[in-house]
Amino acid sequence: MTTKIITAISELRKKQPRFRGLESGHRACLGCGEALAARLVIEATGPDVLVANATGCLEIFTTPWPESAWRVPWIHSLFENTGAVAAGMESALKAQGKSTKVLAFGGDGGTFDIGFQALSGMLERGHNVLYVCFDNEAYMNTGIQRSSSTPHAAMTTTSPPGKERMGKRHLKKDIVSIVAAHHIPYAATASVSYPSDIRKKVRRALAIDGPTFLQIHCPCPLGWGHEGDESITVARLAVQTGLFPLIELERGGLASAMPIRHIRPVTEYLQMQQRFRHLFTDEARAKEELEHIQAIADHNIEIYGLRGECKDAFDSEGMDTVRRGGMRWA
Amino acid sequence: MLQALEGSQAVAQAVALCRPQVIAAYPITPQTHIVESISKLVADGKLQCEFVSVESEFSAASVVLGAAIAGSRAYTATSSQGILLMAEVLFNIAGMRVPLVMTCANRAISSPLSIWNDQQDSMSVRDAGWIQLYCADNQEAVDTTIQAYRIAERTELPVMVCMDGFILTHTLEGIDVPTQKQVDSFLPPYQFARQLDPRNPLTLGTLVSPDFYPEARHSHHQALLNAQAEIVSADQDWFALTGRKSGGLLTIEGPEQATVAILTIGSVLGTLRAALEELPPGQPVKLIKLRSFRPFPKETLKAACKGLKDLIVLEKAFSPGSGGIVGLEALAAVAELPQPPRVHNFAAGLGGRDIPLDILPRLLAVLEEPDNNRFRIIDVDLEKLPLADR
Ligand SMILES: Cc1ncc(C[n+]2csc(CCOP(=O)(O)OP(=O)(O)O)c2C)c(N)n1
Ligand code: SF4
């Protein structure tokens, strides 16, 4: 039975050849959301790109010398300078009169925290670069430490719960709004659980001559504490609860948001992950934190108008079923 | 043709003659005049290039790194705190063997804050794996900048051209600015074998295991040692073209029979030359100008020190808790001679402290002190310090 499915998938692949810029055989954990998201992004950009990649899991698991999983020109320099390296590459291509697109890849640590200044500079100066942040909500490469993207109350090795603490005390930084506040042409969020949406947003960003930004929510089974085969379910629940709204911003203003057809309670999302397990006790403070998190989701639903009215091919349920070959260019 | 130019303007013109396609810089005294002059050349359409006004030196170094690997000749310049902020990128650039040229307008390092000249900044990144060439005057700064591109691109090593802040950067001198034709015949268009190109996708900057790291370091070390030949040949070819030399790895001047030499680095050479002229005849003294600090030209220095009884090393930086930097390396080099000279090591001019002409007799006075070869900072007024620090 299993073999049959695998054959079917590989046959499907053959029928729909796509550009593969990130090869299989790299060393990511089973079910790594970042690996899948990076593959999807490169599939959508095609081969005419140069990539600058920040230090982090994606860099480490794809390039153990003398091997490389990349089939596109790719450079890793440092953790915090990816925006600037990409800006330099883009300036060079511009000086040479080439139209090759420059992509910058960073984790949430490399984007929200240590590389934030270089990113901001790149956006402000208007470089023609698509910056993709693979947001797995912690420093995974160094062993799951909190970042400014780690959601409120999540447990990491540097935000452990204990007598005095309920995981991370602070809120997740709203990076996409900060990025959009640079008044760049296009900034968006996406989730690895909505591949067609990623493709659509990457293509949209590529078509723009100027700085664009895509934040892709990528579960990390190791850091979040769920099974590898649950990554897509977990990521989809983040969207369906309103905790991770999928939005597009143009020149700083909201241009679209993916409606949620059936809004789910946040507990459905949280209880699948070990990083939130301290919230599921009888303690009053645990209940209070759950209420906080629900309030965050409700707030998102409100400000972005995420409540879907009716069936919609582009809502949180419809997007699941948008298939290749059908609404292919959705 | 001689033109009266400020050091910074002269360097800006030299950079422009090298036809860089991407320049990124962040202002810091005393480097500012260089990038301001370049900005003006760009604004006036005299230099066609992408000028990236970055938000920090960290990004300046990162932008030129990205530009160079994407196939463009690139340039940046900085000083002092800027060098320190760049430090991580500087090591990265060198380790990746990216050919870049940067001017370091040498300045002291905070704290205490000083905007004035010494060479603690470039010396602090001596182990970054860059070639470091020090200029004695502004003509050398111009010629060395142009030579630096050829050296960098032939050796796949970045080159830092160090010129003393203010003393050189802000001083007007008659400069023979080379013609575009001369520079074009000396410096071929930029080429980088590992250029990122979608038609031939390469992966740069990978993770290596302990199985490969020492080999990578060895090859970097070897490349720097081998670069000595390129540094010499660039200067020779430049001489053939323009009739001017900047001094290869090092130069020696003064009477052949002198048994005392002063080894210096940077612009203090001019002061010593002038001081020597005022010295009453008697003690013959040689001057050794060390131009290439990295790679350190050990064999050439040994040859230069053969027959010396005393070698006085005068430098503008030191390693707190140890002593002189150039001094220690010179000591190690001459120790290999059958009859090594005594080495006396001084730091002077720290944080812009004036180095007056009477420095020479004070340096030479050390020869009368039997076996006193401890490192000293010249001219320290202990009266200004609390007792415990004297
Ligand atoms: C200047 C510097 N500080 C710290 C590190 C160590 N470091 C490497 S990767 C990393 C975390 C990466 O986290 P993130 O950007 O979120 O990417 P992820 O691994 O989660 O994909 C850290 C802290 C480093 N390489 N450089
Ligand atoms: S630790 Fe997480 S992000 Fe890193 S490879 Fe594993 S699953 Fe992917």
Side-chain angles (χ1 to χ4, degrees):
Chain A
M1 187 66 193
T2 328
T3 25
K4 214 172 166 190
I5 293 172
I6 289 171
T7 322
I9 289 173
S10 61
E11 270 167 18
L12 193 69
R13 270 258 155 75
K14 272 184 220 140
K15 275 190 205 149
Q16 297 184 308
R18 281 168 301 166
F19 172 68
R20 279 254 247 162
L22 177 57
E23 269 301 335
S24 55
H26 54 65
R27 302 180 181 189
C29 309
L30 195 74
C32 173
E34 205 168 78
L36 176 55
R39 204 197 80 202
L40 291 168
V41 169
I42 293 282
E43 271 178 17
T45 62
D48 192 18
V49 292
L50 304 187
V51 181
N53 202 137
T55 313
C57 270
L58 180 62
E59 168 255 329
I60 296 287
F61 70 66
T62 56
T63 63
W65 174 269
E67 293 157 4
S68 170
W70 298 96
R71 281 200 185 178
V72 286
W74 182 97
I75 183 178
H76 158 249
S77 168
L78 296 168
F79 189 18
E80 66 277 42
N81 66 351
T82 310
V85 172
M89 286 161 43
E90 184 260 354
S91 302
L93 294 177
K94 201 163 159 197
Q96 295 163 32
K98 292 185 183 157
S99 62
T100 300
K101 189 82 179 189
V102 175
L103 309 177
F105 289 173
D108 48 284
T111 305
F112 288 54
D113 293 339
I114 199 165
F116 183 64
Q117 174 176 324
L119 168 64
S120 175
M122 180 207 97
L123 299 172
E124 184 265 337
R125 293 188 302 270
H127 294 279
N128 182 16
V129 172
L130 165 57
Y131 190 108
V132 183
C133 171
F134 298 97
D135 182 7
N136 56 21
E137 305 193 321
Y139 300 149
M140 296 313 178
N141 186 48
T142 36
I144 322 163
Q145 292 85 22
R146 63 88 88 184
S147 76
S148 64
S149 171
T150 303
H152 179 66
M155 167 174 69
T156 68
T157 54
T158 51
S159 64
K163 203 159 99 325
E164 302 287 336
R165 297 275 190 277
M166 286 299 274
K168 184 182 163 180
R169 287 190 294 163
H170 315 103
L171 293 176
K172 180 181 171 85
K173 189 191 273 185
D174 182 3
I175 193 77
V176 77
S177 298
I178 299 169
V179 164
H182 290 74
H183 299 287
I184 59 167
Y186 184 73
T189 59
S191 164
V192 71
S193 56
Y194 293 95
S196 331
D197 187 54
I198 292 183
R199 274 190 280 274
K200 179 185 82 178
K201 286 169 175 168
V202 168
R203 278 195 296 269
R204 199 165 277 180
L206 277 196
I208 292 165
D209 184 8
T212 50
F213 179 85
L214 189 56
Q215 176 191 2
I216 307 183
H217 201 225
C218 308
C220 162
L222 192 77
W224 294 12
H226 58 77
E227 294 302 320
D229 60 1
E230 291 172 344
S231 292
I232 299 300
T233 314
V234 169
R236 197 171 291 153
L237 276 170
V239 174
Q240 291 170 333
T241 52
L243 281 175
F244 196 89
L246 300 191
I247 56 173
E248 293 178 292
L249 298 128
E250 288 174 7
R251 298 262 165 226
L254 187 67
S256 87
M258 183 194 285
I260 310 174
R261 197 182 296 178
H262 300 295
I263 294 171
R264 311 285 188 89
V266 295
T267 47
E268 271 188 44
Y269 170 64
L270 303 175
Q271 70 196 6
M272 287 190 76
Q273 307 169 54
Q274 292 292 313
R275 61 175 174 158
F276 294 112
R277 67 164 178 256
H278 54 286
L279 303 183
F280 294 91
T281 65
D282 289 336
E283 286 182 81
R285 56 182 192 153
K287 295 211 167 65
E288 196 182 327
E289 288 299 358
L290 285 178
E291 278 166 24
H292 278 164
I293 297 172
Q294 185 60 59
I296 293 170
D298 293 346
H299 177 73
N300 286 341
I301 291 164
E302 212 52 52
I303 58 169
Y304 293 117
L306 299 180
R307 220 172 282 279
E309 311 266 286
C310 56
K311 282 194 172 192
D312 177 347
F314 297 104
D315 73 10
S316 61
E317 313 270 302
M319 261 299 181
D320 280 357
T321 53
V322 174
R323 283 188 206 94
R324 259 182 250 116
M327 299 179 70
R328 184 167 181 168
W329 300 108
Chain B
M1 191 192 69
L2 277 187
Q3 290 179 45
L5 288 173
E6 193 198 61
S8 301
Q9 285 175 323
V11 167
Q13 294 204 12
V15 170
L17 287 167
C18 296
R19 303 185 186 275
Q21 286 178 295
V22 177
I23 295 175
Y26 191 80
I28 181 168
T29 307
Q31 157 266 35
T32 32
H33 287 190
I34 299 176
V35 288
E36 285 169 3
S37 305
I38 291 177
S39 308
K40 185 74 175 117
L41 291 174
V42 174
D44 291 344
K46 291 180 181 156
L47 170 60
Q48 305 278 325
C49 81
E50 290 297 315
F51 189 96
V52 189
S53 315
V54 283
E55 81 300 329
S56 69
E57 287 89 351
F58 194 86
S59 283
S62 304
V63 164
V64 292
L65 161 62
I69 59 116
S72 285
R73 186 172 285 152
Y75 173 79
T76 187
T78 191
S79 269
S80 183
Q81 311 307 123
I83 283 263
L84 294 191
L85 188 60
M86 279 185 182
E88 196 192 1
V89 194
L90 298 182
F91 280 73
N92 192 250
I93 287 169
M96 231 184 288
R97 304 283 307 275
V98 181
L100 279 167
V101 171
M102 169 164 92
T103 306
C104 174
N106 285 111
R107 166 184 150 179
I109 275 178
S110 172
S111 148
L113 180 64
S114 165
I115 60 161
W116 291 279
N117 165 249
D118 66 32
Q119 293 166 352
Q120 195 68 51
D121 49 2
S122 52
M123 283 292 161
S124 300
V125 291
R126 65 173 185 180
D127 298 336
W130 284 55
I131 291 172
Q132 285 195 355
L133 303 177
Y134 287 77
C135 305
D137 58 41
N138 285 337
Q139 185 68 57
E140 277 188 27
V142 166
D143 296 341
T144 300
T145 300
I146 298 162
Q147 292 180 23
Y149 275 102
R150 199 179 91 167
I151 298 164
E153 289 164 24
R154 286 198 181 178
T155 59
E156 294 198 341
L157 285 167
V159 182
M160 192 181 296
V161 179
C162 303
M163 62 191 293
D164 286 315
F166 292 113
I167 298 170
L168 296 184
T169 55
H170 287 53
T171 304
L172 220 66
E173 271 181 50
I175 300 288
D176 198 342
V177 180
T179 62
Q180 187 65 62
K181 213 170 133 212
Q182 282 176 320
V183 177
D184 286 347
S185 71
F186 179 77
L187 184 65
Y190 180 78
Q191 269 207 327
F192 178 49
R194 286 167 290 132
Q195 178 178 340
L196 289 188
D197 178 358
R199 286 164 304 179
N200 176 31
L202 293 177
T203 296
L204 302 185
T206 64
L207 170 77
V208 303
S209 67
D211 288 347
F212 294 102
Y213 193 83
E215 284 74 18
R217 297 298 282 167
H218 174 84
S219 87
H220 189 175
H221 178 50
Q222 212 54 44
L224 269 155
L225 293 177
N226 294 344
Q228 294 182 60
E230 282 299 340
I231 296 170
V232 170
S233 85
D235 202 33
Q236 278 168 353
D237 293 353
W238 188 248
F239 176 68
L241 188 71
T242 64
R244 286 192 308 274
K245 287 186 201 165
S246 291
L249 299 167
L250 57 78
T251 46
I252 315 162
E253 52 191 85
E256 185 85 29
Q257 78 284 8
T259 57
V260 177
I262 305 179
L263 172 69
T264 67
I265 181 159
S267 67
V268 70
L269 185 79
T271 310
L272 291 177
R273 273 184 192 144
L276 269 176
E277 276 171 22
E278 299 203 348
L279 200 69
Q283 180 77 60
V285 178
K286 278 189 221 178
L287 293 179
I288 303 175
K289 180 192 78 167
L290 185 66
R291 178 174 179 242
S292 170
F293 175 63
R294 283 291 179 273
F296 192 78
K298 192 170 164 190
E299 294 307 322
T300 318
L301 181 62
K302 273 162 68 181
C305 291
K306 218 173 262 164
L308 288 182
K309 287 212 178 76
D310 289 277
L311 176 67
I312 300 170
V313 180
L314 179 65
E315 54 188 307
K316 284 189 175 178
F318 71 103
S319 175
S322 172
I325 298 167
V326 183
L328 208 57
E329 300 206 16
L331 180 67
V334 300
E336 293 178 6
L337 289 170
Q339 280 156 337
R342 298 192 300 172
V343 176
H344 317 274
N345 192 186
F346 297 92
L350 301 184
R353 177 73 62 90
D354 205 22
I355 301 185
L357 288 180
D358 77 356
I359 184 142
L360 188 61
R362 285 158 67 200
L363 289 177
L364 295 176
V366 77
L367 304 176
E368 311 306 321
E369 299 176 16
D371 294 327
N372 191 352
N373 53 9
R374 77 194 154 85
F375 163 77
R376 271 161 285 189
I377 301 174
I378 276 198
D379 209 18
V380 174
D381 183 357
L382 293 178
E383 295 296 311
K384 293 179 189 165
L385 293 171
L387 276 177
D389 294 349
R390 286 183 191 177

